[in-house]
Amino acid sequence: MNLNLIKSLVHEAATKAGFDAALEKVHVEKTKNLEHGHFASNIAMILAKSAGKNPREVAEAIISNLENENLEKVEIAGPGFINLFMSPAFFQQEFKALVENTDDYLKDVLGFTPEAKTMAIDTSHPNIAKPMGVHHLLSTIIGASIVNIYKKAGWKVVNDNYLGDYGTQFGKLIHAIKTWGDQAKIEANPIDELQALYVKFHEEVENDDALEDKGRAEFKKLEEGDAENRELWQKIKEWSMMEFNEMYDRLGVKFDYINGESTYEDKMEPILEAGRKSGVIEDGEGGAWIIKAEDPDAVPIMVRKSDGATLYMTRDLARVKYWDNEWNPDIMVNVVDVAQSLYFKQLEEARQKLGLTDAPTIHVDFGRMQFPDGAMSTRKGNIIKLIDVLDEAEERALKLVQEKGAELSEEEQKDLASVMGIGAIKYNILSQNRVNNITFDWDKMLAFEGNSAPYLMYTYTRTKSVLEKADSLGGDLNPKEPQELALALQLLMLPDALQRAEEEFKPNHIANYLYELTQLYNTMYNALPILKAEDEARMTRLALTNATGLVLKEGLALLGIEVPKKM
Ligand code: ARG
């Protein structure tokens, strides 16, 4: 079921009643109190205001045109709310479709068409030769969830990791490796050693002005294809990928492509040339090449420096063109922190002006990672390494599992701790609205109560053990008790949560939905007998239990989170 269906019913009735109501004006919500029906709309109040009429009269007029086999009853409440009660048959039929084939049901409700649209998306994109920090989780985890959500909604998705593998800093690093580096030491501990060499370079610059030039010269050689430098750079990349892949494995994240910045080295020239020819790229200050922004107060978009060097922007534009050629996507998405907003505004403007593709580039931004004590990094100002955070998550989860003392073998405890620890980190991020700062709170994310992965996982295993004991997945849905009805209604709102998450690129709509579902299931579980209930009630409650388990598993998968077998 989907609110859009209810919305269009109300819209149609309002139109028939002679009101000129735009569909966007029609708001329908799931009711908080089931005595007020299943859904409620405030449209009559909105229309009455602009028409200068009594809202209850407007509601009357709409209701007299509201007719649908799926509606059992419609009522006017308070100042003019329209309350809708759906028929039991409608619930049954929707519920059946959801449980029998969730994928088809979702695509059906969301109006998926066979000609799937394509999204190309850039997520994670760490810079090589530097360790992945805890902040890299944001783009990686939010991006991976958006990929899952779009696939589930019927899109084709190409996930391309725009690795930071190019730039003048590699000239400096190459100089440092040649001067102070020790291959064996690097091989043993690649990224830390490379990072240390890079830091050394910057320390030495203080006493030796000539170093900057030496670094620049090494980068120039790299650009010109010098064999030794190419090989060194290639190695830096391989060493880095070894460590990155370990992180990606532990996080269960996969990419279709890893086209790093270096992919576009030889793809910038044609874009610059075409832009010069069309006049979109103009001469700027000091001989730089620029694209003028539409807004006269905005800074021009620089695409070539006065010394002829290309910029980060130039490579991104080449990427946009490349994506268009390769996959012809309908939208291009970049999951990057909010600090880059201006940059992505410029990229979108340049994309349009240069006519690189018809697909809009969309910046899916997110806030900064914040710790409860306000700290963003360790005391020395170093970043908090991702590997340490993943280790800590699994250690903390293991302690929790041991405290809980469930009957699990040592092996099972370890597996559970890994599923729970990684799941807790992901859920913590994805349950927050990405546009705000994301709080990283160990205690909250690893609690068995509250809006956390362990709470959802625990409830999932609860549904499984109920079904196991019952030896049945339940029967027809005949909800009578308010707890059953509320749960049934929530289960049917899955497509709605998916749609909102899709439209707004916000996985937290899924997380919030699942949290509410979990609470409603536990309310029923605590209030009503399931296994010991009489026939019809037992069948209904088991069916609800089965559907809850199914939807929890499905929903958590959209967040990239596995469910444990036992807990
Ligand atoms: N590698 C960059 C960094 O870590 C982020 C890349 C963002 N994506 C993009 N298309 N510009 O700062």
Side-chain angles (χ1 to χ4, degrees), residues 276-291:
R276 290 296 285 183
K277 236 189 227 152
S278 66
V280 171
I281 298 178
E282 301 173 43
D283 287 323
E285 241 169 88
W289 287 3
I290 56 149
I291 298 173

Side-chain angles (χ1 to χ4, degrees), residues 2-33:
N2 185 271
L3 286 177
N4 287 340
L5 175 94
I6 319 280
K7 251 188 221 175
S8 52
L9 277 181
V10 175
H11 176 246
E12 213 176 286
T15 313
K16 272 199 202 146
F19 293 100
D20 184 20
L23 190 57
E24 309 88 70
K25 270 207 217 155
V26 182
H27 291 290
V28 174
E29 267 178 31
K30 194 174 82 132
T31 56
K32 299 221 164 56
N33 181 343

Side-chain angles (χ1 to χ4, degrees), residues 148 270 304 352:
N148 295 336
R304 208 181 84 156
Q352 286 180 25

Side-chain angles (χ1 to χ4, degrees), residues 122 125-127 136 162-164 261 312 316 319 334 336 343-344:
D122 150 40
H125 42 240
N127 299 321
H136 282 112
Y162 187 51
L163 198 69
E261 290 175 42
Y312 193 72
D316 246 341
R319 173 182 59 79
N334 300 101
V336 184
Y343 174 82
F344 279 102

Side-chain angles (χ1 to χ4, degrees), residues 346-360:
Q346 291 185 326
L347 180 71
E348 173 59 7
E349 203 170 339
R351 181 283 294 178
Q352 286 180 25
K353 291 227 157 90
L354 291 168
L356 298 177
T357 168
D358 292 334

Side-chain angles (χ1 to χ4, degrees), residues 143 366 493:
F366 51 81
M493 298 307 284

